[in-house]
Amino acid sequence: MHGLMQNMPLMISSLIGHAERNHGDTEIVSRETTGGIHRYTYRDAHRRARQLARALLSLGVKPADRVATLAWNNHRHFELYYGVSGLGAILNTVNPRLFPEQVAYIVNHAEDGLVFFDLTFLPLVEGIAPHCKGVRSWVAMCDRARLPDSKLDLLCYEDLVNAHSDDYEWPEFDERTASSLCYTSGTTGNPKGALYSHRSTVLHAYGSALPDALNLSARDTVLPVVPLFHVNAWGLPYACALAGSKLVMPGPQLDGASLYELFEQEQVTVSAGVPTIWLGLLQHLQAKGLKLSTVQRLVIGGSAAPPAMIRTFDDAFGVTVLHAWGMTEMSPLGTVNTPKGKHLKLSAAERDKLRLNQGRPIYGVDMKIVDDEGRELPRDGKAFGDLLVRGPWIVSGYFKGEGGNVLREGGWFPTGDVATLDADGYMQITDRSKDVIKSGGEWISSIELENLAVSHPAVAEAAVIGVAHPKWDERPMLVVVRKPDQALTREQLLDFMRDKVAKWWLPDDVVFVDSLPHTATGKLLKTKLREDFRSHKLPS
Ligand code: ADP
């Protein structure tokens, strides 16, 4: 017997409809690509998204067609989120920091018919256009006055929107219909597409707004530093509409000073981004002796948030870090670190230890760890193994079947992370499975060593890689960037680490460099480091 409840499909368009009806005067503020601040409301955004939908239809866009963006976080990109998906087409947000060949690969693989781009990316677009024959139109996200001269026959975003009325009703269709498409960064091999649906997106928005997740409300002002081209800015454009939070979008300026200015000016309460962004903000705050007067929570994810960073934000700035873990294939949120009631009684030192892990799963994400034979390992906080996940906002496969069947028996998706789980549900990543260092048959966690190294006051950033060793197969080597004007020697750093890890975990060598290589999404590019130090001779 079915229940007698209405079967309302979970549509992305219903999020912006809800925001307009109930939070119509709540602001969306963006720093424009061309400078200056743009300010309007959910009501205006919804009107323009409907105008945009009509414009897209007039350009021949049909349900299931792919429409690409190469754009910063701003109001036009936000309108595309709703305009494209709302009419039943698929928004393919492409990461403009990838190599041009990769961008062209994605546009071709996705078969994008239209590409919307911010003016910053005109040279990129002109470079790839000859290799992207399937693109019918390139649309510059600006007004007529700023439309650049180009060898391409560009369309103008504002002309398109203004040429159409907002007299448009969002269609209702199967909630499992594809809504957006993000490619994984692909440090090895070609990028693969994660294809989200209306249902998965709305459920993820519900889940991520929960109190023990990002705790979003109509009292919050949210600034996503995480790009709209990177896993849908961790779902914030949807979750903020659902919660009625004010949105502040930073455009292209992601340096500490520019972010600080927006935080204070717009009274931001919540922000989200990868650790390297927060490193930049902390340096700015400390150098100028500034305080954050309204920020309450910073969501840090994408790679491990260094313990020293979590502590500094809390102790020196009164900001709670929400350490979060996820991946493109998971829409992306999987876990968020928040304490339980019973933890509030813990000593400061015990609480401190607890808040360093990647947190507990949000309802909707099921997790387990397994050994090499696929046998489930105990949830004791000690055993570590391959982390598998399943749930309604986790991929069942990649776009166009790339990579074949990616699920294990029982529908489990292998994350490629190695982790521990404990009886309270807390998960701790010990490594990427390809980064873990295998020394004499035992595993050494590169992340743990990196966290320890960056807790030294003179260290800005650190990476640990495995280097070939005749006796142990691999031994850890530490690559370090010093903070400006800090003297630190190999011996001093090793002495600092010596009594804090097992003896055989201590790196065999320390090398100082000016900077570390990062991927287009801000993660340490360890493949490059391993290549650079392939023939490095360890002193041992
Ligand atoms: P995203 O685009 O959300 O960064 P990717 O798919 O590019 O996701 O990468 C996901 C991987 O990033 C995870 O499998 C994990 O290895 C790493 N990662 C993400 N968040 C964290 C975290 N908080 N701590 C450690 N590693 C993380």
mmCIF file of all heavy atoms in Angstrom, residues 184-186 230-231 234 274 300-305 323-329 332 335 358 415-417 429 431-432 447 521 523, ligand 1:
data_model
loop_
_atom_site.group_PDB
_atom_site.id
_atom_site.type_symbol
_atom_site.label_atom_id
_atom_site.label_comp_id
_atom_site.label_asym_id
_atom_site.label_seq_id
_atom_site.Cartn_x
_atom_site.Cartn_y
_atom_site.Cartn_z
ATOM 1 N N THR A 184 35.863 15.330 -12.915
ATOM 2 C CA THR A 184 36.870 15.205 -11.853
ATOM 3 C C THR A 184 38.172 15.812 -12.362
ATOM 4 O O THR A 184 38.437 15.803 -13.567
ATOM 5 C CB THR A 184 37.135 13.739 -11.502
ATOM 6 O OG1 THR A 184 37.557 13.081 -12.698
ATOM 7 C CG2 THR A 184 35.900 13.069 -10.967
ATOM 8 N N SER A 185 38.974 16.304 -11.425
ATOM 9 C CA SER A 185 40.180 17.031 -11.824
ATOM 10 C C SER A 185 41.157 16.155 -12.620
ATOM 11 O O SER A 185 41.909 16.659 -13.428
ATOM 12 C CB SER A 185 40.891 17.601 -10.603
ATOM 13 O OG SER A 185 39.991 17.737 -9.544
ATOM 14 N N GLY A 186 41.108 14.867 -12.398
ATOM 15 C CA GLY A 186 41.914 13.966 -13.226
ATOM 16 C C GLY A 186 43.410 14.230 -13.185
ATOM 17 O O GLY A 186 43.987 14.657 -14.180
ATOM 18 N N HIS A 230 33.631 24.248 -9.367
ATOM 19 C CA HIS A 230 34.230 23.119 -8.656
ATOM 20 C C HIS A 230 33.152 22.404 -7.830
ATOM 21 O O HIS A 230 32.768 22.875 -6.770
ATOM 22 C CB HIS A 230 35.367 23.650 -7.765
ATOM 23 C CG HIS A 230 36.116 22.571 -7.068
ATOM 24 N ND1 HIS A 230 36.960 22.801 -6.034
ATOM 25 C CD2 HIS A 230 36.142 21.248 -7.270
ATOM 26 C CE1 HIS A 230 37.470 21.655 -5.617
ATOM 27 N NE2 HIS A 230 36.980 20.706 -6.353
ATOM 28 N N VAL A 231 32.681 21.266 -8.336
ATOM 29 C CA VAL A 231 31.567 20.521 -7.713
ATOM 30 C C VAL A 231 30.455 21.449 -7.225
ATOM 31 O O VAL A 231 30.050 21.410 -6.065
ATOM 32 C CB VAL A 231 31.967 19.647 -6.508
ATOM 33 C CG1 VAL A 231 31.212 18.317 -6.580
ATOM 34 C CG2 VAL A 231 33.412 19.410 -6.368
ATOM 35 N N TRP A 234 30.380 23.212 -3.886
ATOM 36 C CA TRP A 234 29.968 22.346 -2.768
ATOM 37 C C TRP A 234 28.466 22.425 -2.512
ATOM 38 O O TRP A 234 27.989 22.247 -1.399
ATOM 39 C CB TRP A 234 30.784 22.660 -1.491
ATOM 40 C CG TRP A 234 32.266 22.423 -1.667
ATOM 41 C CD1 TRP A 234 32.882 21.780 -2.709
ATOM 42 C CD2 TRP A 234 33.331 22.821 -0.775
ATOM 43 N NE1 TRP A 234 34.246 21.755 -2.520
ATOM 44 C CE2 TRP A 234 34.547 22.387 -1.349
ATOM 45 C CE3 TRP A 234 33.352 23.502 0.441
ATOM 46 C CZ2 TRP A 234 35.788 22.608 -0.748
ATOM 47 C CZ3 TRP A 234 34.583 23.723 1.048
ATOM 48 C CH2 TRP A 234 35.796 23.281 0.466
ATOM 49 N N VAL A 274 39.061 25.733 0.130
ATOM 50 C CA VAL A 274 40.154 24.775 0.357
ATOM 51 C C VAL A 274 41.220 25.411 1.269
ATOM 52 O O VAL A 274 41.285 26.636 1.376
ATOM 53 C CB VAL A 274 40.799 24.333 -0.982
ATOM 54 C CG1 VAL A 274 39.800 23.549 -1.827
ATOM 55 C CG2 VAL A 274 41.326 25.515 -1.772
ATOM 56 N N ILE A 300 36.146 24.035 5.730
ATOM 57 C CA ILE A 300 37.424 23.760 5.075
ATOM 58 C C ILE A 300 37.420 22.316 4.602
ATOM 59 O O ILE A 300 37.165 21.395 5.378
ATOM 60 C CB ILE A 300 38.619 24.006 6.022
ATOM 61 C CG1 ILE A 300 38.519 25.412 6.629
ATOM 62 C CG2 ILE A 300 39.940 23.820 5.280
ATOM 63 C CD1 ILE A 300 39.745 25.842 7.407
ATOM 64 N N GLY A 301 37.664 22.118 3.315
ATOM 65 C CA GLY A 301 37.669 20.769 2.765
ATOM 66 C C GLY A 301 38.416 20.749 1.453
ATOM 67 O O GLY A 301 39.040 21.733 1.068
ATOM 68 N N GLY A 302 38.337 19.621 0.765
ATOM 69 C CA GLY A 302 39.040 19.502 -0.510
ATOM 70 C C GLY A 302 40.401 18.872 -0.321
ATOM 71 O O GLY A 302 40.852 18.094 -1.139
ATOM 72 N N SER A 303 41.093 19.220 0.750
ATOM 73 C CA SER A 303 42.232 18.453 1.255
ATOM 74 C C SER A 303 42.267 18.659 2.761
ATOM 75 O O SER A 303 41.503 19.468 3.279
ATOM 76 C CB SER A 303 43.561 18.820 0.577
ATOM 77 O OG SER A 303 43.617 20.162 0.263
ATOM 78 N N ALA A 304 43.123 17.898 3.433
ATOM 79 C CA ALA A 304 43.080 17.904 4.895
ATOM 80 C C ALA A 304 43.354 19.304 5.443
ATOM 81 O O ALA A 304 44.327 19.953 5.061
ATOM 82 C CB ALA A 304 44.099 16.908 5.435
ATOM 83 N N ALA A 305 42.498 19.774 6.345
ATOM 84 C CA ALA A 305 42.738 21.063 6.999
ATOM 85 C C ALA A 305 43.814 20.848 8.047
ATOM 86 O O ALA A 305 43.657 20.019 8.933
ATOM 87 C CB ALA A 305 41.453 21.551 7.656
ATOM 88 N N HIS A 323 35.522 21.147 9.514
ATOM 89 C CA HIS A 323 36.365 20.364 8.618
ATOM 90 C C HIS A 323 35.458 19.381 7.890
ATOM 91 O O HIS A 323 34.751 18.595 8.508
ATOM 92 C CB HIS A 323 37.425 19.631 9.462
ATOM 93 C CG HIS A 323 38.481 18.982 8.648
ATOM 94 N ND1 HIS A 323 39.360 18.050 9.150
ATOM 95 C CD2 HIS A 323 38.835 19.141 7.352
ATOM 96 C CE1 HIS A 323 40.192 17.667 8.191
ATOM 97 N NE2 HIS A 323 39.886 18.310 7.102
ATOM 98 N N ALA A 324 35.448 19.462 6.567
ATOM 99 C CA ALA A 324 34.516 18.643 5.788
ATOM 100 C C ALA A 324 35.271 17.813 4.771
ATOM 101 O O ALA A 324 36.334 18.206 4.303
ATOM 102 C CB ALA A 324 33.507 19.536 5.079
ATOM 103 N N TRP A 325 34.711 16.680 4.455
ATOM 104 C CA TRP A 325 35.327 15.801 3.464
ATOM 105 C C TRP A 325 34.293 15.405 2.422
ATOM 106 O O TRP A 325 33.111 15.218 2.754
ATOM 107 C CB TRP A 325 35.873 14.543 4.141
ATOM 108 C CG TRP A 325 36.226 13.451 3.182
ATOM 109 C CD1 TRP A 325 37.405 13.269 2.526
ATOM 110 C CD2 TRP A 325 35.366 12.371 2.755
ATOM 111 N NE1 TRP A 325 37.335 12.157 1.717
ATOM 112 C CE2 TRP A 325 36.102 11.585 1.841
ATOM 113 C CE3 TRP A 325 34.046 12.009 3.055
ATOM 114 C CZ2 TRP A 325 35.568 10.460 1.225
ATOM 115 C CZ3 TRP A 325 33.507 10.888 2.433
ATOM 116 C CH2 TRP A 325 34.272 10.125 1.535
ATOM 117 N N GLY A 326 34.746 15.316 1.194
ATOM 118 C CA GLY A 326 33.852 14.874 0.134
ATOM 119 C C GLY A 326 34.611 14.761 -1.163
ATOM 120 O O GLY A 326 35.833 14.878 -1.189
ATOM 121 N N MET A 327 33.907 14.537 -2.231
ATOM 122 C CA MET A 327 34.549 14.457 -3.542
ATOM 123 C C MET A 327 33.532 14.724 -4.643
ATOM 124 O O MET A 327 32.321 14.647 -4.415
ATOM 125 C CB MET A 327 35.237 13.104 -3.723
ATOM 126 C CG MET A 327 34.342 11.909 -3.584
ATOM 127 S SD MET A 327 35.260 10.355 -3.323
ATOM 128 C CE MET A 327 36.422 10.414 -4.660
ATOM 129 N N THR A 328 34.042 15.047 -5.836
ATOM 130 C CA THR A 328 33.181 15.340 -6.977
ATOM 131 C C THR A 328 32.109 14.266 -7.143
ATOM 132 O O THR A 328 30.954 14.574 -7.411
ATOM 133 C CB THR A 328 34.050 15.430 -8.252
ATOM 134 O OG1 THR A 328 35.072 16.391 -8.009
ATOM 135 C CG2 THR A 328 33.240 15.846 -9.453
ATOM 136 N N GLU A 329 32.511 13.020 -6.971
ATOM 137 C CA GLU A 329 31.591 11.895 -7.160
ATOM 138 C C GLU A 329 30.518 11.833 -6.078
ATOM 139 O O GLU A 329 29.608 11.014 -6.135
ATOM 140 C CB GLU A 329 32.380 10.571 -7.160
ATOM 141 C CG GLU A 329 33.247 10.358 -8.390
ATOM 142 C CD GLU A 329 34.642 10.970 -8.262
ATOM 143 O OE1 GLU A 329 34.825 11.892 -7.432
ATOM 144 O OE2 GLU A 329 35.543 10.517 -8.991
ATOM 145 N N PRO A 332 29.447 17.489 -3.265
ATOM 146 C CA PRO A 332 30.502 16.574 -2.850
ATOM 147 C C PRO A 332 30.410 16.133 -1.391
ATOM 148 O O PRO A 332 31.223 15.345 -0.953
ATOM 149 C CB PRO A 332 31.727 17.473 -2.989
ATOM 150 C CG PRO A 332 31.239 18.804 -2.538
ATOM 151 C CD PRO A 332 29.781 18.874 -2.945
ATOM 152 N N THR A 335 31.176 14.048 4.891
ATOM 153 C CA THR A 335 31.258 14.159 6.349
ATOM 154 C C THR A 335 31.591 15.596 6.754
ATOM 155 O O THR A 335 32.199 16.344 6.001
ATOM 156 C CB THR A 335 32.377 13.265 6.919
ATOM 157 O OG1 THR A 335 33.629 13.697 6.365
ATOM 158 C CG2 THR A 335 32.166 11.796 6.608
ATOM 159 N N GLN A 358 37.973 14.075 9.942
ATOM 160 C CA GLN A 358 37.116 14.596 8.867
ATOM 161 C C GLN A 358 35.635 14.576 9.218
ATOM 162 O O GLN A 358 34.808 15.000 8.429
ATOM 163 C CB GLN A 358 37.378 13.833 7.568
ATOM 164 C CG GLN A 358 38.551 14.352 6.748
ATOM 165 C CD GLN A 358 39.916 13.993 7.310
ATOM 166 O OE1 GLN A 358 40.042 13.185 8.237
ATOM 167 N NE2 GLN A 358 40.963 14.589 6.770
ATOM 168 N N THR A 415 36.229 5.264 -2.789
ATOM 169 C CA THR A 415 36.599 6.682 -2.840
ATOM 170 C C THR A 415 38.041 6.905 -3.256
ATOM 171 O O THR A 415 38.407 8.010 -3.641
ATOM 172 C CB THR A 415 36.424 7.325 -1.453
ATOM 173 O OG1 THR A 415 37.274 6.626 -0.535
ATOM 174 C CG2 THR A 415 34.983 7.254 -0.975
ATOM 175 N N GLY A 416 38.878 5.853 -3.114
ATOM 176 C CA GLY A 416 40.312 6.070 -3.362
ATOM 177 C C GLY A 416 41.003 6.655 -2.142
ATOM 178 O O GLY A 416 42.187 6.946 -2.172
ATOM 179 N N ASP A 417 40.257 6.810 -1.052
ATOM 180 C CA ASP A 417 40.860 7.278 0.200
ATOM 181 C C ASP A 417 41.055 6.106 1.143
ATOM 182 O O ASP A 417 40.302 5.139 1.108
ATOM 183 C CB ASP A 417 39.948 8.307 0.877
ATOM 184 C CG ASP A 417 39.975 9.643 0.158
ATOM 185 O OD1 ASP A 417 41.058 10.043 -0.292
ATOM 186 O OD2 ASP A 417 38.913 10.276 0.033
ATOM 187 N N ILE A 429 40.784 10.462 7.424
ATOM 188 C CA ILE A 429 41.549 10.074 6.237
ATOM 189 C C ILE A 429 43.001 9.925 6.668
ATOM 190 O O ILE A 429 43.572 10.848 7.263
ATOM 191 C CB ILE A 429 41.488 11.185 5.170
ATOM 192 C CG1 ILE A 429 40.053 11.487 4.773
ATOM 193 C CG2 ILE A 429 42.356 10.835 3.980
ATOM 194 C CD1 ILE A 429 39.575 10.843 3.544
ATOM 195 N N ASP A 431 45.179 8.753 4.212
ATOM 196 C CA ASP A 431 45.864 9.015 2.951
ATOM 197 C C ASP A 431 44.966 8.856 1.742
ATOM 198 O O ASP A 431 43.885 8.302 1.850
ATOM 199 C CB ASP A 431 47.041 8.047 2.774
ATOM 200 C CG ASP A 431 48.341 8.799 2.641
ATOM 201 O OD1 ASP A 431 48.354 9.780 1.894
ATOM 202 O OD2 ASP A 431 49.318 8.431 3.297
ATOM 203 N N ARG A 432 45.453 9.334 0.582
ATOM 204 C CA ARG A 432 44.914 8.884 -0.696
ATOM 205 C C ARG A 432 45.558 7.517 -0.896
ATOM 206 O O ARG A 432 46.735 7.339 -0.563
ATOM 207 C CB ARG A 432 45.411 9.760 -1.838
ATOM 208 C CG ARG A 432 44.664 11.009 -2.230
ATOM 209 C CD ARG A 432 43.218 10.875 -2.374
ATOM 210 N NE ARG A 432 42.766 10.504 -3.714
ATOM 211 C CZ ARG A 432 41.502 10.173 -3.997
ATOM 212 N NH1 ARG A 432 40.588 10.127 -3.057
ATOM 213 N NH2 ARG A 432 41.152 9.870 -5.233
ATOM 214 N N ILE A 447 49.612 12.233 5.221
ATOM 215 C CA ILE A 447 48.858 13.379 5.761
ATOM 216 C C ILE A 447 49.248 13.662 7.213
ATOM 217 O O ILE A 447 49.420 14.809 7.608
ATOM 218 C CB ILE A 447 47.337 13.132 5.662
ATOM 219 C CG1 ILE A 447 46.915 13.099 4.193
ATOM 220 C CG2 ILE A 447 46.557 14.213 6.399
ATOM 221 C CD1 ILE A 447 45.430 12.960 3.966
ATOM 222 N N THR A 521 42.497 22.422 -8.607
ATOM 223 C CA THR A 521 41.520 22.621 -7.527
ATOM 224 C C THR A 521 42.213 22.819 -6.188
ATOM 225 O O THR A 521 41.606 22.655 -5.136
ATOM 226 C CB THR A 521 40.533 21.443 -7.436
ATOM 227 O OG1 THR A 521 41.272 20.230 -7.309
ATOM 228 C CG2 THR A 521 39.661 21.361 -8.654
ATOM 229 N N LYS A 523 44.752 21.194 -4.689
ATOM 230 C CA LYS A 523 45.334 20.091 -3.927
ATOM 231 C C LYS A 523 46.820 19.961 -4.261
ATOM 232 O O LYS A 523 47.233 20.293 -5.366
ATOM 233 C CB LYS A 523 44.655 18.773 -4.308
ATOM 234 C CG LYS A 523 43.226 18.671 -3.885
ATOM 235 C CD LYS A 523 42.721 17.291 -4.265
ATOM 236 C CE LYS A 523 41.279 17.330 -4.674
ATOM 237 N NZ LYS A 523 40.364 17.797 -3.645
HETATM 238 P P1 ADP B 1 36.639 18.013 -4.573
HETATM 239 O O1 ADP B 1 36.419 18.424 -5.964
HETATM 240 O O2 ADP B 1 35.459 18.128 -3.670
HETATM 241 O O3 ADP B 1 37.918 18.509 -3.953
HETATM 242 P P2 ADP B 1 37.802 15.835 -5.721
HETATM 243 O O4 ADP B 1 36.945 14.799 -6.316
HETATM 244 O O5 ADP B 1 38.608 16.737 -6.563
HETATM 245 O O6 ADP B 1 36.816 16.570 -4.762
HETATM 246 O O7 ADP B 1 38.776 15.210 -4.664
HETATM 247 C C1 ADP B 1 38.248 14.459 -3.613
HETATM 248 C C2 ADP B 1 39.374 14.014 -2.750
HETATM 249 O O8 ADP B 1 39.946 15.117 -2.040
HETATM 250 C C3 ADP B 1 38.930 13.090 -1.651
HETATM 251 O O9 ADP B 1 38.769 11.776 -2.127
HETATM 252 C C4 ADP B 1 40.069 13.223 -0.666
HETATM 253 O O10 ADP B 1 41.193 12.480 -1.037
HETATM 254 C C5 ADP B 1 40.435 14.666 -0.786
HETATM 255 N N1 ADP B 1 39.784 15.397 0.297
HETATM 256 C C6 ADP B 1 38.671 16.142 0.240
HETATM 257 N N2 ADP B 1 38.396 16.684 1.436
HETATM 258 C C7 ADP B 1 39.367 16.277 2.287
HETATM 259 C C8 ADP B 1 39.637 16.468 3.678
HETATM 260 N N3 ADP B 1 38.882 17.240 4.454
HETATM 261 N N4 ADP B 1 40.728 15.861 4.202
HETATM 262 C C9 ADP B 1 41.523 15.091 3.446
HETATM 263 N N5 ADP B 1 41.318 14.871 2.137
HETATM 264 C C10 ADP B 1 40.253 15.443 1.563
#
